[in-house]
Amino acid sequence: MSMVDVVANWAAVQERISRAAKRVGRSPEAIQVVAVTKGVDIESITPLLAYGIKAVGENRIQEALPKYQRVDWRDKVKWHFIGHLQTNKVRQCLEFASLIHSVDRLRLIREINRRAVNMELPQVEILLQVNISGEATKFGLTPEEVPALIEKAAQYEKVRIRGLMTIAPFEEDPEKTRPVFRKLRLLGEDLEEKGFPQFEMKYLSMGMTNDFEVAIEEGANLVRIGSAIFGQRPI
Ligand SMILES: *Cc1c(COP(=O)(O)O)cnc(C)c1O
């Protein structure tokens, strides 16, 4: 049994989002929380259904799919996949995910398209994960690789690129992550200006528990928040 008061935490997060948005003249309604539920029991998530939770984020297929299949409220929220995706897990991912945040290579896009055709899905929405900081331990495209990938992806008709995602390095002082978030936003603006078929700069997925306020100040409209809602957990 968890002693974490997820409802109070959720309210506190919403309040912090609201304040961060207002600091830069943005509407808090433009920002959506993806509640990161990896390692979290179903029972800890359900109380939030009454408080406006709209999307949950999972980072492992083997955890996400059974959870999705088990819960009777699965259609009340959107399920996002935010973890590293192997090509051999794409079919399972498409069984639940309405948005995949972590696409970082053409081969994966090709496989998503192939599976989407087989499964007769109308289309699949994805984000491209960009490794802005250049940390060797992080997945993601370099910013320079993104335009060419978007061009090549246009041949895969089921796949719709709807924006960009990044994971900033952990910093004790979240202010230090600002340049990372700013670069992702500017990259998005640049891509939008260039205009690519089947590409729309709809989502900027950046910011986690430690740094979501800075991310919002820099334009994030999807923030992926786990521990601030569900507490620290072993993952
Ligand atoms: C776990 C995770 C998060 C949430 O992290 P917290 O620090 O717990 O908010 C966000 N994004 C990704 C990709 C994650 O794996």
Side-chain angles (χ1 to χ4, degrees):
M1 252 308 277
S2 148
M3 299 303 288
V4 176
D5 186 346
V6 294
V7 170
N9 288 350
W10 175 257
V13 163
Q14 294 297 337
E15 179 57 34
R16 287 170 62 189
I17 289 172
S18 188
R19 270 187 266 133
K22 284 173 185 160
R23 277 199 291 278
V24 291
R26 299 183 62 199
S27 161
E29 286 78 53
I31 296 141
Q32 198 190 327
V33 179
V34 179
V36 177
T37 51
K38 61 184 183 200
V40 177
D41 295 340
I42 298 296
E43 293 70 28
S44 304
I45 309 169
T46 37
L48 296 178
L49 292 172
Y51 292 89
I53 186 178
K54 294 207 174 60
V56 297
E58 289 278 343
N59 72 337
R60 290 186 193 167
I61 301 294
Q62 62 271 33
E63 177 183 343
L65 188 56
K67 256 181 183 164
Y68 171 83
Q69 288 166 336
R70 235 182 76 206
V71 298
D72 56 7
W73 46 262
R74 65 176 156 267
D75 296 330
K76 293 213 170 88
V77 297
K78 300 285 189 194
W79 294 67
H80 292 191
F81 190 72
I82 62 173
H84 183 64
L85 183 56
Q86 293 167 289
T87 42
N88 65 0
K89 299 265 170 63
V90 166
R91 188 188 57 74
Q92 287 170 295
C93 185
L94 294 181
E95 284 183 37
F96 66 91
S98 67
L99 184 68
I100 306 172
H101 290 231
S102 43
V103 175
D104 60 359
R105 56 207 191 276
L106 191 66
R107 203 167 104 77
L108 185 57
I109 292 177
R110 193 203 313 143
E111 180 63 8
I112 292 169
N113 187 72
R114 188 176 79 83
R115 292 294 184 179
V117 170
N118 287 347
M119 293 163 83
E120 299 181 0
L121 301 174
Q123 60 178 47
V124 179
E125 299 203 317
I126 66 162
L127 309 180
L128 297 180
Q129 179 170 354
V130 188
N131 184 356
I132 295 284
S133 65
E135 276 181 296
T137 53
K138 289 210 160 60
F139 291 108
L141 298 145
T142 66
E144 294 73 28
E145 288 171 326
V146 173
L149 183 67
I150 294 177
E151 266 172 14
K152 288 184 193 134
Q155 66 187 295
Y156 300 112
E157 293 184 347
K158 294 277 183 184
V159 179
R160 298 295 148 107
I161 305 173
R162 289 292 183 248
L164 303 175
M165 178 272 231
T166 199
I167 303 174
F170 179 87
E171 299 280 359
E172 287 294 339
D173 174 8
E175 185 56 36
K176 292 204 174 120
T177 60
R178 190 178 296 278
V180 170
F181 296 141
R182 185 166 296 170
K183 276 183 196 152
L184 191 71
R185 168 168 50 84
L186 293 174
L187 175 63
E189 287 174 5
D190 189 40
L191 295 168
E192 197 168 30
E193 217 165 87
K194 288 202 173 88
F196 294 95
Q198 301 194 114
F199 172 79
E200 182 193 347
M201 200 45 227
K202 185 174 175 187
Y203 297 117
L204 204 48
S205 168
M206 54 190 200
M208 308 175 20
T209 289
N210 187 53
D211 52 23
F212 69 88
E213 286 148 308
V214 179
I216 287 168
E217 289 172 5
E218 291 301 326
N221 59 9
L222 282 181
V223 286
R224 310 177 308 268
I225 302 179
S227 20
I229 302 169
F230 300 107
Q232 295 291 345
R233 48 208 193 278
I235 273 206

